[in-house]
Amino acid sequence: MKPDLHNQIGSAVALLRAGGTVAFPTETVYGLGADVSNFSAVQRIFEIKKRPADHPLIVHFADTSRLHYWARDVPEQAWQLAEHFWPGPLTLILPRSHHVPENVTGGQDTVGLRVPDHPVALALLTALGTEGALAAPSANRFGHISPTTAAHVQEELGQTVDMILDGGACEIGLESTIVGFSGQTAVILRPGGISLAAVAEVLGDKVVLPEKENRTVRVPGALASHYAPVTPLELCPTESLWRRALELESAGLRVVVMEWSARKPDHPENTDILHFPMPRKPAAYGSLLYATLRRFDHEGLDRLLVEAPPDQPVWAAIADRLQRASCVPGFKAQADDHDSSRMDGNMTHEAV
Ligand code: TXA
Ligand code: MG
């Protein structure tokens, strides 16, 4: 780590101890952190983000073996996942211990816990000491796209945050996988950097996706509209992508097409439609997605027309975020019948 970043971590710790807020990089997205034990600093996070007070924050800490300090009645499955995936893009929802103040969890009896895998985050959390931790949501305004660079945090939060630690672009680019427990069964509450298959591999078969109607816990990332750019985003199947783009253009709309399959014969010539090829591999796609949406949000366009991702488990987190960002809710990811060559990535630990 560069010496100036080292000094900045010292200043960040001082600010946090004094009740300030610090944005910091993680391997998923940037977080907006406050000392868990400082009531008013945690309140400030809700104000800065304009986030309703009943939406719980994730508690970040450095040392996996301290899991039992922040949670009680930790099931064996949670330990297995923590030991396997931490530091990493996994958040565990567990009964909170008395070390977690109520305002951090929005009044709920459970807490989201995560050990992030980023040198700056880990250095910061380690410097806070064994009983230190940061309550941190993604460092964006409520409902908007999570920031994946320090410049994005600045753009989202401006002067409202006391300090931004710049650790470069986040490698994964999508938020962590959230896992809760229902008895002995692990439940994926938000798909993310770790796939359902990878969780199932560690635990055996006992992993399920939640039934929406049974959700009693507030997960803003699970609201139908979330992670959204300002410019309307529309998902479109590959077959009709360019037809739809031309339709929108002839209706007078300025359009960008974000396409992963790049099927050349479909591309019309002599149009003003912008064309942005996206990566064909989900890990690379995930790490670019938010930065790309953000970039086109600044270009005065009328529509972001996004090719629907393949309906495959390794694309689950991307499909989830695109559906929530979409102005046409309920659109499903499509069956992938074009090409299977991009599925050769490591399925067990990548940005799905
Ligand atoms: O990758 C990530 O998870 C990033 C980085 C900064 O760690 N954090 C993040 O935080 O995405 P946030 O607050 O933007 O999203 C966390 C999600 C929210 O949907 C929240 O409701 C849910 O986790 N969550 C937190 N605590 C919970 C709890 N006790 N029960 C259920 N859901 C919880
Ligand atoms: Mg968020």
Side-chain angles (χ1 to χ4, degrees):
M1 197 183 305
K2 291 187 193 137
D4 58 331
L5 202 47
H6 194 79
N7 294 339
Q8 282 179 42
I9 286 174
S11 315
V13 170
L15 263 170
L16 290 163
R17 292 219 165 102
T21 54
V22 173
F24 62 98
T26 80
E27 80 281 32
T28 58
V29 300
Y30 273 71
L32 170 61
D35 177 354
V36 165
S37 61
N38 187 316
F39 183 87
S40 56
V42 170
Q43 291 305 105
R44 183 88 190 102
I45 286 186
F46 289 97
E47 282 163 31
I48 292 174
K49 276 191 66 109
K50 304 198 183 342
R51 176 164 167 148
D54 59 352
H55 289 272
L57 306 177
I58 296 174
V59 171
H60 298 70
F61 56 103
D63 180 357
T64 300
S65 68
R66 302 286 290 167
L67 173 55
H68 63 279
Y69 182 81
W70 300 108
R72 62 188 156 74
D73 307 330
V74 180
E76 179 53 31
Q77 286 93 336
W79 276 112
Q80 282 175 281
L81 293 177
E83 276 160 9
H84 195 273
F85 292 114
W86 282 352
L90 172 75
T91 296
L92 295 173
I93 307 294
L94 294 166
R96 77 181 154 101
S97 78
H98 66 275
H99 295 115
V100 182
E102 216 177 320
N103 67 336
V104 171
T105 67
Q108 297 185 50
D109 198 33
T110 55
V111 61
L113 297 171
R114 174 161 122 78
V115 177
D117 187 14
H118 191 289
V120 174
L122 286 172
L124 180 65
L125 295 166
T126 304
L128 288 170
T130 49
E131 292 178 8
L134 292 178
S138 52
N140 52 281
R141 283 166 292 133
F142 185 64
H144 203 224
I145 303 171
S146 297
T148 54
T149 67
H152 297 165
V153 178
Q154 181 67 42
E155 186 181 300
E156 285 285 324
L157 305 179
Q159 301 305 310
T160 56
V161 53
D162 296 320
M163 184 177 186
I164 302 172
L165 287 169
D166 188 349
C170 302
E171 202 182 321
I172 292 181
L174 297 175
E175 303 81 358
S176 61
T177 301
I178 302 183
V179 177
F181 296 89
S182 170
Q184 302 296 303
T185 309
V187 184
I188 307 272
L189 297 171
R190 178 176 72 181
I194 290 170
S195 68
L196 185 135
V199 173
E201 199 178 316
V202 173
L203 296 185
D205 259 339
K206 293 164 269 168
V207 182
V208 295
L209 292 167
E211 294 189 24
K212 284 197 176 84
E213 59 275 18
N214 290 346
R215 270 200 196 122
T216 52
V217 176
R218 291 218 165 264
V219 184
L223 294 175
S225 170
H226 210 73
Y227 308 110
V230 176
T231 313
L233 182 152
E234 183 178 335
L235 274 168
C236 190
T238 305
E239 314 70 80
S240 50
L241 190 65
W242 285 96
R243 194 168 61 237
R244 179 66 180 149
L246 288 168
E247 225 171 70
L248 292 167
E249 191 198 31
S250 59
L253 270 62
R254 291 200 60 217
V255 181
V256 62
V257 175
M258 287 168 55
E259 184 186 32
W260 58 264
S261 67
R263 292 197 304 171
K264 284 220 166 44
D266 280 355
H267 294 179
E269 290 180 5
N270 305 324
T271 79
D272 289 331
I273 299 169
L274 297 177
H275 174 223
F276 192 81
M278 290 296 284
R280 296 165 80 86
K281 291 198 173 172
Y285 189 113
S287 73
L288 263 189
L289 177 61
Y290 287 162
T292 307
L293 294 179
R294 204 173 270 279
R295 167 184 157 183
F296 286 119
D297 232 2
H298 291 302
E299 299 208 356
L301 297 163
D302 301 306
R303 190 67 53 94
L304 311 179
L305 191 64
V306 181
E307 181 180 13
D311 186 12
Q312 294 175 343
V314 284
W315 288 84
I318 292 165
D320 173 77
R321 302 310 187 274
L322 284 173
Q323 275 160 27
R324 292 180 205 293
S326 166
C327 59
V328 189
F331 189 92
K332 288 270 179 288
Q334 61 187 338
D336 173 23
D337 54 1
H338 308 300
D339 174 12
S340 57
S341 64
R342 69 192 165 282
M343 298 310 303
D344 54 4
N346 169 15
M347 275 189 60
T348 58
H349 197 126
E350 66 176 2
V352 295

